[in-house]
Amino acid sequence: MNSQTTNKLSLSQLFLAASILSVIITVLWLMYPNPNRHYHLVLTGMSKGRIRPFKAKFKPYQGKRMGGAAGVAAVVKEAVKSFEGSPYNLFSIGSEISGTADAYFTRGAAIIKIMNAMGIEAMLVGNIEFTYGQRRLAELAEQAEFKFVSSNVSEVVSERVPDYLSPGLFFNPGGGLKIGVIGLTPPTTPTLTARSNIEGLDFGDPGESLRLQVEAMRQSGADLVVLLTLYNRDRIRAEEWRPIASAAPDICVMVDFDIDAPPAVRRDGIVIKTVSGYNQSKEVDVLDLEITPPPVRIVSWKGRRLAVNHAEITPDPDVARVVDAVTRENREARDRYIGEFAGDYQHQWDRECPIGNMITDAMLAESGCDIAFHNSGGIQNNIQAGDFSVGDLFSMMPFDNQMVTMQLTGSEIEELLRISASLQRGLLQVAGASYEFSLRPEGNVLDSFMIGGAPVDPDRTYSVCTNNFLADGGDNFTTFRKGRQVQYGRQQRDVVSEYVARNSADAPLRLSTDGRIVRHD
């Protein structure tokens, strides 16, 4: 037998052996199926009160009709169908009850009714949930058919968790699973909402207490522990991640600000899934898990982000009826005409913003001060060309801020502008002054600033107008607390509304940037 014949025989034998092995594996698989099963986590949140569809302004959905509660409900139902009976939970990471006129005119009640209709099971309380104050949050908790969860908020005097919050929750979604849920309200909440909204509350940093909470949940039989947070996945600091890693929940939900959805990842043994900080109801996030029988262990995971694109879905009719019912009585007030704009204008958090210029110009005209400041984070939506309504105003400026005037020295104003240039919380939009700053790897630098077109006298006292959020030291602009002769004025939205009406009476209002903030990259 020659070598060629031998090689052919060997290949034939190898192929036969492989075929037999394949048959054996198939038989064994049929006799002993994979004991693993699936669990799914469905996530909403960061809607900022968007309960009606809208035309998206940015990629990847630019120009498309997106979002709205009825659309979200339809996408959730389709996702649940795809689970084919596997257990799941539907949670929100918060930032839901404020941000639009629909939310504001009902002080959040409309949003809660809609979330009830959608079947939300738990919602993390974020800083935005304190927009209407603690008393109103407690009232909304009574109206909700789901629980408000926060594991790090306590009353300063009693050291107890407020009655309207749940420090931890358990769910039994089916299949014998027991899911534990805890949540971290941003520890920076006192700098992100008005002081009066959170008076008497402590927002603790996660530490040893978080590890003890997770451990207690496991001792109570939780198969999986889910931690809901509003940490930015890409910006979380080592000292913020360390206690989470030490506590070792199975799943940690965070926020991302990417155009394309980042994949779910495992870090220090914890599966991380994100919800878009730009969500505004445009998407629903799903985390698909393959898990072992008890003791439950996550074998594999996959994250999905599902678009709420009205070209591809039929809105849920039941939720649509609820949306229509809760907004009908406010429709006339919401649609009231204020003025008209000549073009589309985009809000910016890290550079001079035409909307910020308009707001601060209105504040300066109202107050007669030397300078007006407004925080970039207080501008939550863009302006579109054409008619501008009360609803548009509330979407652009959702926070219930008052005008505040005070006296600050030139050196104190310099402190504020150095904080602004750091971009820790976004720029201070300004009128009556100008400043330049440079981006540096070692830390951004304030290059120069002027007030009224003249060099600044560090010892001179200047009159300053801002809003009560900044006056309380919000967004880490704590220098405002040094203000003297502090006086509170009208609602900031009323001032801006009158400014728009007055300046668009004869022709559409045209906004622009004029170099009052110069950024050197």
Side-chain angles (χ1 to χ4, degrees):
M1 186 180 296
N2 60 37
S3 60
Q4 187 174 1
T5 304
T6 302
N7 288 339
K8 288 182 179 180
L9 185 59
S10 298
L11 288 172
S12 300
Q13 291 172 334
L14 184 61
F15 178 78
L16 178 61
S19 301
I20 294 172
L21 182 60
S22 176
V23 171
I24 293 172
I25 291 172
T26 302
V27 171
L28 289 174
W29 183 81
L30 291 171
M31 292 177 60
Y32 303 100
N34 183 359
N36 294 341
R37 50 190 173 150
H38 294 90
Y39 167 71
H40 308 273
L41 190 58
V42 185
L43 299 163
T44 66
M46 305 300 292
S47 72
K48 307 290 182 67
R50 288 275 198 175
I51 58 176
R52 295 181 294 160
F54 59 96
K55 186 177 180 180
K57 293 287 292 181
F58 304 106
K59 294 179 180 179
Y61 307 118
Q62 191 172 25
K64 298 177 181 178
R65 190 166 182 261
M66 303 293 295
V72 170
V75 171
V76 168
K77 284 187 176 180
E78 284 301 311
V80 170
K81 284 182 184 178
S82 73
F83 302 158
E84 298 181 337
S86 296
Y88 72 94
N89 287 109
L90 174 57
F91 301 141
S92 166
I93 66 165
S95 296
E96 299 266 36
I97 67 172
S98 178
T100 61
D102 293 315
Y104 182 82
F105 288 151
T106 62
R107 310 296 279 180
I111 311 301
I112 296 299
K113 287 181 181 178
I114 290 166
M115 293 177 74
N116 287 341
M118 292 171 62
I120 300 293
E121 298 177 88
M123 180 184 74
L124 171 66
V125 170
N127 56 284
I128 283 179
E129 273 62 52
F130 286 95
T131 295
Y132 311 118
Q134 296 179 63
R135 181 177 298 177
R136 182 55 177 167
L137 189 59
E139 293 171 349
L140 295 175
E142 288 292 324
Q143 297 171 25
E145 296 171 7
F146 53 91
K147 296 295 184 181
F148 293 179
V149 61
S150 177
S151 307
N152 64 316
V153 178
S154 61
E155 296 170 344
V156 173
V157 175
S158 68
E159 298 184 352
R160 292 176 56 250
V161 175
D163 293 338
Y164 52 86
L165 301 179
S166 298
L169 299 168
F170 288 101
F171 295 91
N172 301 104
L177 275 180
K178 188 174 184 179
I179 306 297
V181 178
I182 54 180
L184 288 177
T185 299
T188 54
T189 292
T191 71
L192 299 172
T193 192
R195 191 184 306 176
S196 58
N197 292 340
I198 45 88
E199 198 73 44
L201 293 181
D202 178 66
F203 295 80
D205 288 311
E208 178 67 7
S209 61
L210 183 62
R211 186 187 65 78
L212 294 175
Q213 286 172 323
V214 173
E215 186 177 289
M217 285 199 146
R218 298 203 191 283
Q219 291 175 351
S220 297
D223 294 302
L224 294 173
V225 177
V226 179
L227 173 62
L228 303 177
T229 82
L230 288 173
Y231 282 118
N232 183 331
R233 184 206 59 175
D234 295 323
R235 294 185 181 178
I236 187 168
R237 301 191 305 272
E239 58 268 28
E240 294 170 327
W241 173 253
R242 199 175 297 117
I244 295 175
S246 176
D250 300 285
I251 301 163
C252 180
V253 181
M254 293 186 176
V255 176
D256 73 81
F257 289 90
D258 298 345
I259 293 177
D260 297 316
V265 297
R266 179 174 260 172
R267 178 180 177 186
D268 293 331
I270 303 168
V271 175
I272 298 174
K273 178 72 182 82
T274 60
V275 173
S276 174
Y278 301 127
N279 188 11
Q280 295 190 325
S281 78
K282 297 190 297 292
E283 296 160 327
V284 173
D285 280 273
V286 178
L287 178 63
D288 304 305
L289 299 174
E290 180 185 357
I291 57 176
T292 65
V296 172
R297 182 172 54 85
I298 297 175
V299 177
S300 65
W301 60 91
K302 180 182 179 182
R304 293 184 281 158
R305 184 161 288 172
L306 310 177
V308 185
N309 184 349
H310 285 257
E312 301 170 352
I313 63 171
T314 300
D316 183 88
D318 295 329
V319 174
R321 280 191 288 270
V322 176
V323 171
D324 185 61
V326 299
T327 60
R328 188 181 302 121
E329 60 189 73
N330 300 312
R331 191 168 295 157
E332 183 176 345
R334 186 185 64 235
D335 294 341
R336 182 173 62 81
Y337 174 85
I338 294 175
E340 185 179 359
F341 283 92
D344 293 344
Y345 304 106
Q346 182 177 327
H347 70 287
Q348 302 278 0
W349 74 275
D350 61 350
R351 63 198 68 221
E352 182 183 353
C353 168
I355 302 174
N357 287 355
M358 176 191 71
I359 292 171
T360 52
D361 285 346
M363 295 168 67
L364 204 65
E366 166 80 5
S367 66
C369 288
D370 296 316
I371 313 168
F373 288 119
H374 182 70
N375 53 308
S376 292
I379 308 170
Q380 289 283 307
N381 211 347
N382 303 314
I383 290 174
Q384 294 184 352
D387 290 354
F388 187 75
S389 68
V390 170
D392 297 324
L393 174 65
F394 275 80
S395 294
M396 182 182 76
M397 300 177 67
F399 304 113
D400 202 13
N401 288 325
Q402 284 179 271
M403 296 266 289
V404 180
T405 59
M406 63 178 65
Q407 302 288 318
L408 290 171
T409 65
S411 61
E412 289 167 340
I413 293 169
E414 182 177 2
E415 285 181 30
L416 289 170
L417 294 179
R418 289 190 188 282
I419 297 170
S420 178
S422 73
L423 296 181
Q424 291 177 0
R425 290 285 191 274
L427 285 179
L428 286 175
Q429 302 293 326
V430 63
S434 61
Y435 65 101
E436 299 187 20
F437 70 102
S438 298
L439 302 187
R440 302 282 176 80
E442 65 276 12
N444 298 349
V445 175
L446 176 67
D447 297 318
S448 64
F449 72 105
M450 304 181 78
I451 297 177
V456 176
D457 181 347
D459 298 319
R460 177 185 163 185
T461 296
Y462 296 87
S463 58
V464 175
C465 177
T466 186
N467 58 54
N468 63 285
F469 170 71
L470 286 175
D472 285 342
D475 276 350
N476 282 344
F477 289 101
T478 54
T479 308
F480 280 114
R481 294 180 186 170
K482 298 179 181 179
R484 294 162 295 281
Q485 299 180 35
V486 177
Q487 293 185 336
Y488 286 77
R490 293 199 296 152
Q491 289 287 321
Q492 194 180 17
R493 269 192 303 260
D494 291 342
V495 172
V496 173
S497 176
E498 291 173 10
Y499 181 89
V500 172
R502 184 169 62 249
N503 286 278
S504 64
D506 298 324
L509 179 57
R510 192 175 301 276
L511 305 184
S512 64
T513 55
D514 53 19
R516 62 184 76 176
I517 303 174
V518 177
R519 163 179 160 159
H520 299 289
D521 296 340

